[in-house]
Amino acid sequence: MTSEVVIDVQQKNIAIALLEDKRLVEYQVEPKSASFSVGNIYIAKVKRIMPGLNACFVDLGYERDAFLHYLDLGSQFSSYEKYLKQVESDQKKLFPFSKAMRLPDIKKDDSVQNVLKVGQEVMVQIVKEPISTKGPRLTGELSFAGRYLVLIPFGNQISVSTKIKSGEERARLKQLIHSIKPKNCGIIVRTVAEGKRVAVLDAELKLLYKRWTDALTKIQKTQTRPQLVFEETGRAIALLRDLFNPSFESIYVNDEEVFEQVKSYVSLIAPEKAGIVKKYTGKVPIFDNFNVTKQIKSSFGKTVNYKHGAYLIIEHTEALHVVDVNSGNRARSESGQEANALDVNLGAADELARQLRLRDMGGIIVVDFIDMNLAEDRQALYERMVKNMQSDRARHNILPLSKFGLMQITRQRVRPAMDVSVAETCPSCNGTGTIKASILFTDQLESKIDRLVNKIGVKKFYLYVHPYVAAYINKGVISLKRKWQMKYGFGVHIIPSEKLAMLQYEFYDSNKQFIDMKEEIETKN
């Protein structure tokens, strides 16, 4: 299996698509102005104590306060609290972390009001982004994740991933990490560290430790509260950190700055693979070029079709996700109804595993498969689902089919499920139901071009339109595009874009910045 990553950097958003054998399996979109990010560390103040919940709300400087439960404070909260005071007491010289004192663990059965008070400063890390009406979830047990290792300040253990089965390799890694581990730190060895040399692990450990000391320096030098003291790497880098593997053939980026960041990161973790990072310079939108746009349109929404006319219906509620499997207009199998049901269900298991990753669905997922009478068929379906989910990085648990034919799945949820609207509001009438004659659309575009060139003074620009419209504009020896170029200059460029509706258009300048050419009459409902 080959994997490719396609990164689309737009003016407001960064979108990342992971393709396995050209098939879209993960998709993430993040606004450039996103307030919260899992992994970010803040020095903040307690705003409210909630004894009934045994928790508190913490002000991170945003509209929605964050939630911190007593059990999430971490056993070494007292050590953090004491060391934080030592750091803040001297703004000239940082108190060495290696000399920090480890205090006894806090009691697991204590109450939050006995440990925290309103206005107290705490050092916290986001572990779950805001979901629906809930604010971000915090922890007081900080961690710095790398590709091979996770550094835990004030930890006292070296843990090796249970996915590393070899006892000899586990012992080697433990001994190796013990020899290079900084004082007062715990280490988690990730699965991909298997077989890695000491120099590679030591280099990453030093990098993670520097991130921790840089965060402490930020606390020491400034008195602003709340304050972001450590920012997790961008979504592009974070995704690569967790996903990167030797099967990656290419990483395509359409932005110079992000391209340099990604190339620098890949050069650091896998120098021999630095060449797979490529700058995309094509005129066609990057997602259209790699067939991502079409897959997004066909893979999201309430109804998802898969092989031979069968389909899934996916409903999202506050508490859980419900999936119904339907055979649709599929022809019946010659082997009978039972064989037909098994075939449809196995196909649904394949598509559902992809959908869970693609939409990043978390919490409880209930799946209503087509009823099967044979116990061996139900077992085969369960085993197929377990196998399909093995490549899923999120923690999950799958239960066999119940007597009602339902399968229950729980999947780790750290951010809202990806919900991409694939329905398109008519860009010409904005839902009113009436539009100008379609044959006049190109006349409308020409008037926009005339205004752009002769009144606004933009001589070079890109006009993005639906591929069918682009084909019409480009058709013939003396095409409409050629006529426009002869009249308004050769700075007129027509680009087909699959994300646009039939009579929708977008103008961009030579720097790929969006130009709003909509008139007031067009934007009225």
Side-chain angles (χ1 to χ4, degrees):
M1 181 182 67
T2 58
S3 301
E4 293 176 304
V5 175
V6 183
I7 303 174
D8 182 19
V9 183
Q10 297 293 334
Q11 198 168 345
K12 295 181 179 178
N13 300 320
I14 296 180
I16 300 170
L18 171 64
L19 306 176
E20 291 180 353
D21 294 332
K22 305 296 182 182
R23 197 161 177 253
L24 182 66
V25 293
E26 289 199 28
Y27 175 66
Q28 305 221 1
V29 180
E30 183 178 83
K32 288 185 177 179
S33 59
S35 302
F36 298 105
S37 182
V38 171
N40 284 1
I41 297 177
Y42 291 79
I43 179 78
K45 291 186 177 181
V46 176
K47 190 171 182 180
R48 281 181 293 158
I49 302 289
M50 309 292 288
L53 298 174
N54 201 19
C56 68
F57 285 99
V58 178
D59 178 18
L60 296 185
Y62 296 101
E63 181 181 352
R64 195 178 296 172
D65 291 330
F67 182 80
L68 176 63
H69 194 274
Y70 174 79
L71 294 177
D72 292 327
L73 281 174
S75 59
Q76 281 295 309
F77 178 75
S78 300
S79 303
Y80 275 108
E81 186 182 23
K82 180 178 177 62
Y83 182 63
L84 208 55
K85 291 178 181 177
Q86 292 173 322
V87 168
E88 292 177 319
S89 64
D90 188 351
Q91 290 191 341
K92 293 182 179 179
K93 186 179 180 182
L94 181 65
F95 188 86
F97 182 64
S98 59
K99 295 183 180 179
M101 184 182 296
R102 285 178 57 88
L103 299 178
D105 293 358
I106 61 173
K107 297 177 182 177
K108 290 184 178 181
D109 56 353
D110 209 340
S111 299
V112 68
Q113 64 265 37
N114 296 333
V115 179
L116 297 174
K117 59 181 183 292
V118 174
Q120 180 176 340
E121 289 188 3
V122 288
M123 199 172 180
V124 289
Q125 186 170 31
I126 296 179
V127 293
K128 185 182 287 188
E129 289 184 7
I131 295 175
S132 185
T133 58
K134 301 172 184 176
R137 184 78 180 253
L138 303 177
T139 181
E141 191 168 15
L142 311 183
S143 62
F144 295 81
R147 171 143 174 80
Y148 305 113
L149 307 171
V150 179
L151 175 76
I152 303 174
F154 283 116
N156 60 357
Q157 288 186 331
I158 298 173
S159 304
V160 180
S161 168
T162 54
K163 292 183 180 179
I164 299 178
K165 302 298 183 183
S166 168
E168 185 179 338
E169 177 63 7
R170 293 174 64 87
R172 182 190 78 89
L173 287 169
K174 273 195 174 184
Q175 185 177 3
L176 189 155
I177 295 300
H178 188 75
S179 65
I180 60 176
K181 179 179 78 73
K183 191 176 179 184
N184 282 334
C185 290
I187 304 291
I188 297 174
V189 182
R190 306 182 76 173
T191 309
V192 289
E194 187 172 7
K196 292 294 179 286
R197 294 178 293 108
V198 63
V200 175
L201 301 180
D202 186 47
E204 180 168 273
L205 188 54
K206 286 177 179 175
L207 179 65
L208 297 177
Y209 190 73
K210 186 178 184 302
R211 290 178 183 172
W212 166 234
T213 55
D214 287 348
L216 295 173
T217 303
K218 219 170 194 179
I219 296 171
Q220 176 205 15
K221 298 289 185 186
T222 58
Q223 298 300 314
T224 308
R225 303 291 184 266
Q227 185 187 23
L228 176 65
V229 295
F230 170 72
E231 188 169 10
E232 182 58 278
T233 50
R235 182 57 55 87
I237 303 299
L239 186 69
L240 282 177
R241 183 190 65 203
D242 294 335
L243 288 181
F244 190 85
N245 64 63
S247 71
F248 273 22
E249 280 193 341
S250 304
I251 301 172
Y252 296 98
V253 191
N254 66 344
D255 179 82
E256 185 66 36
E257 184 181 348
V258 176
F259 166 74
E260 293 296 340
Q261 291 176 3
V262 172
K263 186 158 189 175
S264 175
Y265 178 73
V266 173
S267 299
L268 179 68
I269 63 169
E272 73 283 358
K273 302 289 285 185
I276 68 172
V277 184
K278 301 167 185 175
K279 173 79 185 300
Y280 177 76
T281 56
K283 291 182 179 179
V284 176
I286 187 170
F287 273 6
D288 289 8
N289 186 71
F290 292 99
N291 198 34
V292 174
T293 305
K294 187 175 182 180
Q295 292 194 61
I296 290 172
K297 299 249 182 191
S298 63
S299 299
F300 286 91
K302 180 178 176 180
T303 303
V304 178
N305 295 300
Y306 61 103
K307 64 179 185 177
H308 306 309
Y311 61 94
L312 305 177
I313 295 179
I314 303 176
E315 296 273 11
H316 306 282
T317 73
E318 179 71 20
L320 49 79
H321 307 278
V322 181
V323 182
D324 186 34
V325 179
N326 291 275
S327 58
N329 58 4
R330 174 190 170 91
R332 292 183 179 274
S333 169
E334 295 179 0
S335 304
Q337 176 60 27
E338 184 72 15
N340 186 65
L342 176 61
D343 193 36
V344 171
N345 285 341
L346 292 177
D350 296 340
E351 181 60 30
L352 179 60
R354 171 176 172 255
Q355 286 290 328
L356 295 182
R357 291 176 65 189
L358 188 58
R359 302 183 186 220
D360 205 7
M361 291 161 59
I364 301 171
I365 300 104
V366 178
V367 191
D368 181 14
F369 285 102
I370 296 173
D371 290 340
M372 295 183 295
N373 296 321
L374 299 179
E376 57 265 33
D377 287 350
R378 294 194 293 271
Q379 180 63 24
L381 175 60
Y382 170 70
E383 291 174 359
R384 179 74 156 260
M385 197 71 213
V386 170
K387 181 182 178 182
N388 290 339
M389 293 287 285
Q390 284 177 352
S391 57
D392 195 332
R393 293 176 294 115
R395 290 196 302 271
H396 58 270
N397 188 29
I398 306 170
L399 297 181
L401 289 170
S402 70
K403 64 180 179 180
F404 298 120
L406 302 177
M407 179 178 286
Q408 299 168 70
I409 302 171
T410 60
R411 187 174 182 273
Q412 180 186 21
R413 179 167 69 172
V414 296
R415 59 180 61 89
M418 182 66 61
D419 188 17
V420 178
S421 177
V422 295
E424 297 173 347
T425 301
C426 174
S428 299
C429 73
N430 289 303
T432 61
T434 59
I435 63 171
K436 293 180 182 178
S438 300
I439 197 68
L440 300 178
F441 180 58
T442 53
D443 294 343
Q444 182 186 9
L445 290 179
E446 184 173 356
S447 71
K448 303 286 183 186
I449 293 171
D450 180 57
R451 179 165 166 252
L452 193 62
V453 174
N454 296 323
K455 292 186 179 180
I456 301 177
V458 178
K459 303 298 183 183
K460 182 179 180 182
F461 57 88
Y462 298 88
L463 171 57
Y464 286 75
V465 291
H466 189 276
Y468 289 175
V469 177
Y472 176 77
I473 293 173
N474 287 312
K475 76 169 184 174
V477 177
I478 305 177
S479 64
L480 200 53
K481 173 186 172 183
R482 180 63 65 191
K483 291 177 182 177
W484 288 348
Q485 287 179 333
M486 296 298 291
K487 191 173 180 180
Y488 302 106
F490 286 89
V492 179
H493 300 280
I494 308 298
I495 309 294
S497 175
E498 293 178 1
K499 77 173 183 178
L500 298 179
M502 185 66 75
L503 298 184
Q504 192 176 5
Y505 61 89
E506 290 180 351
F507 283 91
Y508 290 85
D509 64 19
S510 57
N511 296 318
K512 299 297 178 73
Q513 298 297 307
F514 176 71
I515 306 171
D516 189 356
M517 295 297 291
K518 296 275 183 174
E519 297 172 13
E520 186 178 352
I521 192 170
E522 292 180 66
T523 56
K524 284 183 178 179
N525 290 325

